[in-house]
Amino acid sequence: MPVMTGPELEEFLVEAFPQVHRDFRVEEVRDMGIRVRMVVEDRHLRPGGTVSGPSMFALADVSIYLAILGMIGPEALAVTTNCSIDFMRKPAAATDLIAEATLLKLGKVLAVGDVLLYSDGMAAPVARASLTYSIPPKG
């Protein structure tokens, strides 16, 4: 079961990552998963008004990170060790993105998860990502 709530995870982002915390809203924390919204602003857009690939990567990465912390507690030094992302369709213009992240494995040293990214209001995912995180040893 999760050990951190959505508000606690958002507060952790404020403290650990003040440069990006305003971009993300935790909408749901569940056992081995999370739903996170990226509040899309002009700086997230590429020419044509659609959300950029780097912004979508950031959402996928932050979502798995928060899913892990939701399960293990605040651990600023958990880091991404691998990511694969497939961009499947163009997001709606200037629309928030929603990440549905699921942890597939949560070990003592590694965590593996999948994320589906949706453009708010669209039924089909716009991207899919698979990420692996390294969790630092306790103590």
Side-chain angles (χ1 to χ4, degrees), residues 19-37:
Q19 67 275 28
V20 298
H21 76 90
R22 288 185 184 95
D23 292 345
F24 307 103
R25 299 289 174 266
V26 177
E27 294 193 342
E28 178 188 8
V29 179
R30 58 187 177 274
D31 190 32
M32 299 293 279
I34 197 165
R35 182 175 46 245
V36 178
R37 175 181 296 267

Side-chain angles (χ1 to χ4, degrees), residues 13-73:
L13 280 181
V14 169
E15 294 169 10
F17 297 99
Q19 67 275 28
V20 298
H21 76 90
R22 288 185 184 95
D23 292 345
F24 307 103
R25 299 289 174 266
V26 177
E27 294 193 342
E28 178 188 8
V29 179
R30 58 187 177 274
D31 190 32
M32 299 293 279
I34 197 165
R35 182 175 46 245
V36 178
R37 175 181 296 267
M38 171 180 265
V39 180
V40 173
E41 297 181 2
D42 285 345
R43 63 191 154 86
H44 299 117
L45 304 179
R46 54 165 286 131
T50 189
V51 178
S52 70
S55 294
M56 288 191 276
F57 170 83
L59 176 58
D61 192 40
V62 165
S63 296
I64 289 294
Y65 182 66
L66 293 176
I68 293 167
L69 299 188
M71 295 302 295
I72 69 170

Side-chain angles (χ1 to χ4, degrees), residues 61-135:
D61 192 40
V62 165
S63 296
I64 289 294
Y65 182 66
L66 293 176
I68 293 167
L69 299 188
M71 295 302 295
I72 69 170
E75 179 51 71
L77 298 179
V79 295
T80 310
T81 59
N82 189 56
C83 178
S84 173
I85 188 165
D86 297 305
F87 300 102
M88 300 185 295
R89 52 188 55 84
K90 183 178 174 180
T95 301
D96 287 357
L97 291 182
I98 309 296
E100 290 287 348
T102 303
L103 296 176
L104 305 174
K105 176 189 187 275
L106 181 59
K108 292 181 182 180
V109 178
L110 290 178
V112 178
D114 280 343
V115 184
L116 288 174
L117 300 181
Y118 296 89
S119 193
D120 196 16
M122 287 178 63
V126 298
R128 180 197 66 83
S130 177
L131 292 98
T132 303
Y133 259 76
S134 175
I135 301 168

